[in-house]
């Protein structure tokens, strides 16, 4: 079986299209469990509404487990999500274009830092930064030995928050969100660059 998390299926840049694993073949469709929701596509994070698409026996088993572990989605969330989906994807296109602009700002601001490698930014609103060249550098004679330590240093000394990569299985990376205003992105990247430049 394949569990396909498609929560960012509408937030893809540069004219790219999303293709679900379920579309590979009839057999793939039967073996795929798609999870999705309204939190990213419609910017409805706090409404806590998502869904699963799968073969009937799998969906039925998931519903049984769900009914014993969490409560049902509230009727208010269901109605709000239904209205968002009925309204169409016009607002989603507007949001996607805005995210792409913000991505470009972040990318351009970091382009003069060859020691900080960035994974391709093809969708969503996070950048994955390879910090390998900074691991082992020092701040006031104290070596920075992990993504946790680098994130902590940047937060305490430069007031910029990033998520340590070890939470995602890569201790030589940091994740940064650009789901913020362009002004905040510029300010945050400026602080990030200053913080990294002060390591030796």
């Amino acid at each position: 079986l394949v569990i396909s998390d498609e929560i960012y299926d509408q937030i893809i840049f540069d004219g790219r299209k999303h293709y679900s694993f379920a579309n590979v073949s009839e057999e793939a469709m039967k073996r795929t469990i798609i999870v999705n929701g309204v939190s990213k596509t419609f910017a409805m994070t706090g409404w806590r509404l998502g869904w699963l698409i799968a073969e009937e026996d799998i969906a039925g088993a998931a519903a049984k487990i769900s009914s014993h572990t969490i409560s049902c989605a509230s009727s208010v969330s269901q109605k709000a999500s239904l209205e968002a989906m009925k309204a169409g994807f016009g607002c989603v296109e507007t949001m996607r274009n805005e995210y792409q602009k913000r991505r470009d700002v972040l990318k351009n601001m970091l382009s003069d830092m060859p020691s900080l490698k960035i994974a391709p930014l093809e969708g969503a609103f996070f950048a994955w930064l390879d910090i390998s060249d900074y691991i082992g550098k020092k701040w006031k004679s104290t070596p920075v030995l992990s993504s946790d330590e680098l994130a902590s240093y940047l937060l305490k000394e430069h007031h910029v928050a990033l998520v340590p990569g070890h939470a995602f299985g890569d201790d030589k990376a940091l994740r940064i969100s650009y789901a913020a205003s362009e002004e905040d992105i510029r300010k945050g990247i400026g602080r990030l660059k200053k913080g990294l430049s002060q390591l030796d």
Side-chain angles (χ1 to χ4, degrees), residues 74-160:
S74 73
S75 57
V76 175
S77 291
Q78 291 181 54
K79 290 281 188 185
S81 299
L82 180 61
E83 288 305 310
M85 287 185 267
K86 280 164 56 177
F89 288 84
C91 66
V92 177
E93 182 65 24
T94 301
M95 284 190 292
R96 179 174 39 246
N97 290 336
E98 188 57 37
Y99 285 135
Q100 187 164 327
K101 275 192 238 169
R102 295 172 187 180
R103 175 209 62 175
D104 292 344
V105 167
L106 177 137
K107 199 172 168 183
N108 290 337
M109 286 190 74
L110 292 176
S111 64
D112 62 347
M113 296 188 70
S115 296
L116 191 67
K117 299 165 201 72
I118 309 171
L121 301 170
E122 298 174 351
F125 37 75
F126 301 104
W128 190 251
L129 311 177
D130 180 339
I131 54 164
S132 302
D133 290 351
Y134 294 93
I135 299 296
K137 289 197 172 191
K138 295 177 181 176
W139 165 246
K140 292 184 177 176
S141 75
T142 303
V144 174
L145 300 175
S146 67
S147 60
D148 273 323
E149 289 179 8
L150 184 55
S152 180
Y153 154 73
L154 290 166
L155 181 61
K156 289 176 184 171
E157 301 296 330
H158 298 280
H159 312 291
V160 60

Side-chain angles (χ1 to χ4, degrees), residues 126-128 147-148 151 161-168 170 173-177:
F126 301 104
W128 190 251
S147 60
D148 273 323
L162 298 99
V163 180
H166 96 270
F168 304 94
D170 184 355
L174 293 173
R175 189 182 80 165
I176 186 170
S177 170

Side-chain angles (χ1 to χ4, degrees), residues 53-66:
I53 301 170
E55 290 289 294
E56 192 173 345
D57 58 333
I58 296 169
K64 286 178 186 173
I65 293 169
S66 176

